[in-house]
Amino acid sequence: MESLVKFVQDEFVAKKDFPEFGAGDTITVYYEIREGEKVRTQFFRGVVIQRRGSGSSETFTIRKMSGTIGVERIFPVNLPALQKIEVNKRGKVRRARIYYFRGLTGKKARIKERRR
C-alpha cells in the first residue's frame, strides 16, 4: 500500500524546483494571496526552524520577528500558491529542528553564517 501511495505522489504531484535549504537558513518565501478577485504577491522572510515530512506532505516552518513579537508560519512545500523561495543566508546550526531559537532574544538570537 505504501508503494502505491508513493507512486501516486511521484507521478501526479507537480514538483517545483526550489533551492536547497535547511534549519538555520534565512529565506524569503514569495506566495500569492487572493482577496476576492484580486491576486497579489506577498513575501515572508525569516529563519527556518524546521523541515518536516517527505514527499507531497513535506512542510517547513519559518520564524520572523515583527517588532518584538515572534511570528511563525508553516508552509507546505507543494503549496500551489508558492511562487519562489530565495535563500538569503546559510546558517550554521547543529540541530535539524532549532526549537530553542524561540526562547532567544537580542544578540543571543543570532546565527553564524556557514562558510561555502
Side-chain angles (χ1 to χ4, degrees), residues 20-74:
E20 287 294 319
F21 63 91
D25 295 347
T26 302
I27 64 172
T28 306
V29 178
Y30 295 87
Y31 58 99
E32 288 181 354
I33 291 187
R34 292 182 189 359
E35 295 173 338
E37 295 167 10
K38 272 198 313 188
V39 177
R40 64 185 177 89
T41 300
Q42 187 170 341
F43 68 91
F44 194 91
R45 181 179 179 172
V47 177
V48 177
I49 298 291
Q50 69 172 348
R51 280 187 82 154
R52 161 174 279 168
S54 63
S56 64
S57 63
E58 185 176 1
T59 61
F60 58 96
T61 304
I62 303 179
R63 179 180 177 85
K64 76 172 185 176
M65 293 301 291
S66 180
T68 58
I69 298 171
V71 179
E72 287 189 12
R73 178 138 188 193
I74 300 171

Side-chain angles (χ1 to χ4, degrees), residues 46 50 59 61 63 71 75 77 82 90 94 101 104 106-107:
Q50 69 172 348
T59 61
T61 304
R63 179 180 177 85
V71 179
F75 290 98
V77 172
L82 280 185
R90 301 252 182 218
R94 296 183 179 188
F101 194 67
L104 302 180
K107 288 188 174 182

